[in-house]
Amino acid sequence: KELAWEREKACERLERAVEEQQERSSAELTAMSSKVAFAQGQLERQHIAAEEQRVHSQTLLAQLREEARDEVAQKEEENETVRREVTECVEQQDLLQKEAESARDAVAMLNAKISTLNVKYASLDKAQARSLSDLLDCRSRLRW
């Protein structure tokens, strides 16, 4: 009887140990499940944050590209304006140079005419002086 009783007690202790082990295992499993659920939640939040960051980065990149295109277009427009202004200045300089050459030619021509007139005037002065001299000579003859 005693042996049966000891066996029964041993079986009860073994059953309790098994139950306790199952309870501990169940508690550990529950804890692990909670940890896994928490980790999955964190992973999902991180994934969402990463996706939001990716979308934000793409938006910023698109804005920067657009700004860069606008800036390049503005610079090209400014360059074109400068090119036109330079072309106009060169054309204006050519015109002014031609006008200066024409003015030099006109001055040279006027100087030649002045020289010619000076020669004619000098001749007229001599002729006038002779005429005056002749007139005075005539007058003095008439008085005699």
Side-chain angles (χ1 to χ4, degrees):
K1 258 185 169 180
E2 249 184 71
L3 196 52
W5 183 78
E6 281 183 29
R7 250 196 244 156
E8 196 174 308
K9 289 287 179 189
C11 281
E12 285 176 7
R13 280 193 302 260
L14 190 57
E15 283 177 3
R16 266 192 306 236
V18 168
E19 283 176 7
E20 287 173 3
Q21 182 61 39
Q22 284 178 340
E23 286 175 6
R24 280 193 301 274
S25 294
S26 178
E28 286 176 8
L29 184 60
T30 301
M32 289 299 271
S33 293
S34 293
K35 287 180 182 178
V36 167
F38 178 74
Q40 283 178 333
Q42 277 189 319
L43 187 62
E44 190 173 318
R45 284 188 294 279
Q46 287 173 349
H47 177 71
I48 290 170
E51 181 62 21
E52 288 173 353
Q53 183 63 39
R54 185 188 67 77
V55 169
H56 180 66
S57 295
Q58 285 182 337
T59 302
L60 284 178
L61 182 61
Q63 287 173 346
L64 289 173
R65 283 182 180 150
E66 186 64 29
E67 288 173 9
R69 272 189 288 253
D70 291 347
E71 193 172 323
V72 166
Q74 181 182 358
K75 291 295 180 190
E76 286 175 350
E77 189 175 310
E78 288 172 5
N79 287 344
E80 186 57 34
T81 301
V82 168
R83 269 192 227 97
R84 276 194 305 269
E85 289 173 356
V86 166
T87 301
E88 288 173 8
C89 286
V90 167
E91 290 171 354
Q92 190 175 14
Q93 184 181 7
D94 288 347
L95 255 172
L96 290 173
Q97 194 170 2
K98 287 176 184 176
E99 287 176 5
E101 288 171 6
S102 295
R104 276 194 292 274
D105 292 346
V107 166
M109 191 167 59
L110 286 175
N111 283 335
K113 285 184 179 182
I114 288 172
S115 293
T116 303
L117 288 175
N118 282 338
V119 169
K120 285 182 181 180
Y121 182 70
S123 308
L124 285 175
D125 273 352
K126 287 179 186 174
Q128 189 177 18
R130 267 187 259 125
S131 295
L132 187 57
S133 175
D134 288 347
L135 183 62
L136 289 174
D137 221 16
C138 254
R139 195 170 162 194
S140 69
R141 279 189 212 149
L142 285 173
R143 279 191 193 164
W144 293 96

